[in-house]
Amino acid sequence: MNRAFEKLQPHLERIMALNTAMTLFNWDTDTLAPKEAGPYTAKVIGTLSDEYFQALVNDEVKALVKECQEHGEGLDENQAAIVKEAARTIEELEVIPKEEYREFSELQSEAAAIWSRAREDKDYEAFAPTLEKLIAFTKKFAGYQAKDGQKIYDVLLDQYERGFDMESLDRFFSQVRDEIVPLLKQVVEKNDTIDSSFLTEYYEPEKQEEFGRFLAEYCGFEFDKGVLATSAHPFTTNLHNHDVRITTRYVENKLDSSLFSIIHETGHALYELGISDEITQTLVGGGASMGMHESQSRFYENIIGRSEAFWEPIYGKLVETFPKQLEKVSLDQFIKAVNKAVPGLIRIDADELTYCLHIMVRYEMEKMIMDGSADVKDLPKLWNEKYQEYLGVSPEDDAEGVLQDIHWAQGSFGYFPSYALGSAFAAQFYHKMQEELDVEGLLKEGNLKPIREFLKDRIHRYGKVKETRDLIKAVTGEDFTPKYYIEYLKEKYKKIYSLA
Ligand code: ZN
């Protein structure tokens, strides 16, 4: 083994241990921790993140990383990727003064609780000062990290999705918008032909949970290596490839909400569970990027999870679980209902077709926040105007408006576009998968294993060793293109709505 890498090893282990501890505290804060724990736990996380910072950004580690980069003899592909990731993370962190980084980490963990209460109370004012601080930190840090005239928002976009910037995203969104908006118009006109009222009957949360656990396992989630809990906003987190945790929320009068959020989070979880043992608990032992992660969750949730073939073997079980509500609902009706495209207010409840428009609102707002053309106090108004413009709907309060997502409360700006990109990556993978596998046939047999193996073998096991754009090319033989996403949506919705 490379001598410098050998010396680096114990440092890397310490870095990962601290990171794992912080992940676990964050998970606890969002699931089980009592409300009042917030500021106290935030202090602990602040100390840990301080330790993390010091473990990674210090002269000894920097010298070893540099030595590995300059004398890389004997490093295998994984080790070389770890060194590259370490160098990149150090570079991003070392420009941030330690004190500021600590303050920001503490603010981040307090902010989640403040946001959650503000959302509950439908009180934007209560969150606004915190949001103001989060934005100020984000801008300041991105300013430190910007390279030769790079714009603030481009710095942030690149951190979530390397190789993407405002220029490529403007192009992506305009292409999608040009195709989706006219299609949506056609679809909405025919919406009264699809009855989805049965989805909003009362569905016992306990039974939803029971079926949800079955569904996660059916898709390949391993409960020996995973946990399913509840939180205000569904998410996935992972400690390593033997401990991956997902959450959902059970809404009494919305059967599809938890069903599809569980499939979605399971898609994320399968990615993390599929990372190879050789790289788990290292800096490259996670998904390649946010967009790549979303491609996996959206592939499961939408592309296969909302297909008739997927439900064919298990719809009977769902009806058995909720006989009163579903006895008279055929599989065909169920599939149409869960794919109904209705312009709405809530991103995570959005259908596949309108989803991109929800993301466009956030993308445009983040651009404005970061270039200073939008003030924190004006965000609710701006939000509502954009919803009216793109989706034709207006929130009644800020809980179903600007306060609905946790992302900004976590200091995550530049994350949202990855959701839309993920859908597009997923469609491109699906196109390739269909050339090699009879996906529909496998789903009808209830045999998801070959599909899971395909994704594990070509994508999951590599973690961050391969970068997103390279992975897409390696899997599909083509550079990223929104072409397959647009084709997929058109074909799917024309079929569901019997459009010409
Ligand atoms: Zn997701």
Side-chain angles (χ1 to χ4, degrees):
M1 202 203 263
N2 183 295
R3 281 277 312 266
F5 191 82
E6 211 169 325
K7 283 194 203 152
L8 188 59
Q9 198 71 5
H11 294 280
L12 292 171
E13 266 161 34
R14 183 174 157 73
I15 290 161
M16 288 318 294
L18 289 163
N19 189 45
T20 307
M22 286 192 288
T23 306
L24 194 52
F25 269 115
N26 283 325
W27 153 270
D28 188 63
T29 299
D30 290 337
T31 53
L32 284 172
K35 259 187 201 170
E36 295 206 359
Y40 298 86
T41 306
K43 246 176 104 178
V44 177
I45 295 178
T47 304
L48 283 172
S49 96
D50 207 18
E51 290 288 317
Y52 174 78
F53 190 100
Q54 286 179 36
L56 189 59
V57 185
N58 64 66
D59 292 342
E60 201 183 340
V61 169
K62 268 160 66 182
L64 288 169
V65 167
K66 196 163 173 242
E67 201 183 326
C68 287
Q69 281 182 304
E70 282 165 7
H71 306 282
E73 310 84 34
L75 289 180
D76 64 27
E77 194 192 5
N78 294 337
Q79 291 166 340
I82 290 168
V83 169
K84 196 172 158 196
E85 187 65 22
R88 191 183 275 162
T89 315
I90 290 170
E91 199 184 312
E92 274 173 16
L93 284 178
E94 76 176 342
V95 292
I96 299 170
K98 216 172 71 191
E99 248 328 289
E100 288 181 18
Y101 181 78
R102 187 198 161 98
E103 267 177 64
F104 178 64
S105 303
E106 285 187 29
L107 174 66
Q108 258 181 325
S109 50
E110 271 173 33
I114 297 170
W115 162 79
S116 163
R117 212 164 303 162
R119 188 172 89 146
E120 228 167 85
D121 299 342
K122 306 178 172 46
D123 182 7
Y124 178 75
E125 298 292 308
F127 179 57
T130 307
L131 181 58
E132 185 97 56
K133 283 188 225 163
L134 286 162
I135 291 170
F137 269 115
T138 306
K139 278 187 178 173
K140 195 152 66 168
F141 291 177
Y144 295 148
Q145 291 158 338
K147 284 178 197 141
D148 2 283
Q150 204 183 7
K151 295 204 171 84
I152 295 291
Y153 195 42
D154 278 339
V155 175
L156 300 172
L157 290 172
D158 194 66
Q159 283 170 4
Y160 290 102
E161 222 49 61
R162 211 161 294 281
F164 288 85
D165 56 12
M166 284 188 270
E167 200 194 326
S168 50
L169 283 166
D170 282 346
R171 215 171 335 137
F172 168 73
F173 280 117
S174 83
Q175 240 173 307
V176 172
R177 179 179 45 210
D178 289 351
E179 302 277 351
I180 301 306
V181 171
L183 178 61
L184 181 62
K185 231 175 150 182
Q186 280 183 291
V187 158
V188 169
E189 275 170 20
K190 294 192 78 177
N191 254 343
D192 50 5
T193 61
I194 294 178
D195 175 18
S196 59
S197 59
F198 62 89
L199 290 174
T200 54
E201 282 178 32
Y202 175 78
Y203 290 88
E204 303 86 328
E206 303 74 36
K207 285 192 173 180
Q208 287 194 45
E209 185 180 348
E210 186 193 312
F211 191 83
R213 292 180 73 86
F214 158 76
L215 196 53
E217 209 160 19
Y218 183 76
C219 292
F221 189 74
E222 299 167 74
F223 279 96
D224 288 344
K225 300 177 184 170
V227 173
L228 168 61
T230 55
S231 64
H233 189 112
F235 69 94
T236 300
T237 197
N238 68 299
L239 305 183
H240 41 68
N241 69 355
H242 283 66
D243 189 343
V244 180
R245 305 178 179 206
I246 60 176
T247 71
T248 187
R249 52 175 184 183
Y250 302 105
V251 187
E252 285 178 0
N253 298 303
K254 235 182 161 314
L255 175 65
D256 50 334
S257 171
S258 80
L259 283 186
F260 292 98
S261 80
I262 285 175
I263 303 178
H264 180 100
E265 300 309 329
T266 299
H268 282 303
L270 291 174
Y271 196 166
E272 295 295 340
L273 289 166
I275 297 218
S276 86
D277 285 337
E278 285 138 48
I279 55 169
T280 192
Q281 291 187 304
T282 74
L283 290 172
V284 296
S289 69
M290 297 302 171
M292 194 53 80
H293 239 298
E294 281 305 313
S295 77
Q296 300 309 293
S297 56
R298 275 154 211 285
F299 175 83
Y300 273 93
E301 179 196 345
N302 293 328
I303 295 183
I304 64 171
R306 292 180 197 269
S307 73
E308 189 161 340
F310 175 86
W311 283 94
E312 213 174 275
I314 58 171
Y315 184 62
K317 188 177 167 71
L318 185 66
V319 177
E320 254 169 53
T321 310
F322 300 106
K324 250 189 6 252
Q325 301 92 325
L326 296 175
E327 218 169 39
K328 296 201 175 85
V329 180
S330 70
L331 175 59
D332 180 60
Q333 272 175 289
F334 176 76
I335 292 303
K336 284 194 163 130
V338 300
N339 283 293
K340 191 171 179 175
V342 182
L345 293 165
I346 306 296
R347 176 183 61 85
I348 63 158
D349 291 337
D351 54 84
E352 249 183 303
L353 199 54
T354 54
Y355 193 84
C356 221
L357 304 177
H358 289 260
I359 298 304
M360 263 175 54
V361 169
R362 290 154 177 81
Y363 171 65
E364 289 178 7
M365 286 185 64
E366 287 186 341
K367 272 199 331 191
M368 293 173 75
I369 291 169
M370 291 305 152
D371 73 13
S373 58
D375 279 340
V376 166
K377 67 171 172 24
D378 300 327
L379 296 182
K381 189 167 164 272
L382 193 60
W383 181 282
N384 299 353
E385 283 166 5
K386 287 197 180 289
Y387 261 81
Q388 190 57 49
E389 184 185 344
Y390 293 132
L391 291 131
V393 292
S394 292
E396 285 200 356
D397 54 59
D398 293 329
E400 54 180 30
V402 72
L403 284 176
Q404 68 181 265
D405 300 305
I406 196 172
H407 302 63
W408 293 346
Q410 291 173 326
S412 303
F413 297 88
Y415 185 135
F416 285 118
S418 294
Y419 290 119
L421 286 173
S423 299
F425 299 165
Q428 192 165 341
F429 293 142
Y430 180 51
H431 180 83
K432 182 67 191 173
M433 188 188 279
Q434 281 178 304
E435 286 176 4
E436 294 183 30
L437 298 177
D438 173 15
V439 180
E440 199 182 332
L442 289 167
L443 291 173
K444 282 184 180 173
E445 288 166 21
N447 180 11
L448 276 67
K449 199 168 173 228
I451 296 170
R452 216 159 46 231
E453 292 294 320
F454 180 101
L455 296 171
K456 183 176 175 179
D457 187 51
R458 320 273 172 109
I459 301 169
H460 301 171
R461 67 190 175 102
Y462 294 112
K464 283 188 211 291
V465 173
K466 292 185 198 279
E467 286 187 9
T468 298
R469 282 192 185 267
D470 300 335
L471 258 177
I472 293 172
K473 182 133 198 199
V475 175
T476 68
E478 271 184 279
D479 284 323
F480 166 63
T481 161
K483 182 173 87 182
Y484 299 109
Y485 176 47
I486 291 165
E487 272 174 19
Y488 157 79
L489 284 175
K490 279 182 161 172
E491 194 184 317
K492 174 169 180 171
Y493 279 89
K494 281 185 175 167
K495 192 171 162 226
I496 285 169
Y497 279 85
S498 319
L499 301 170

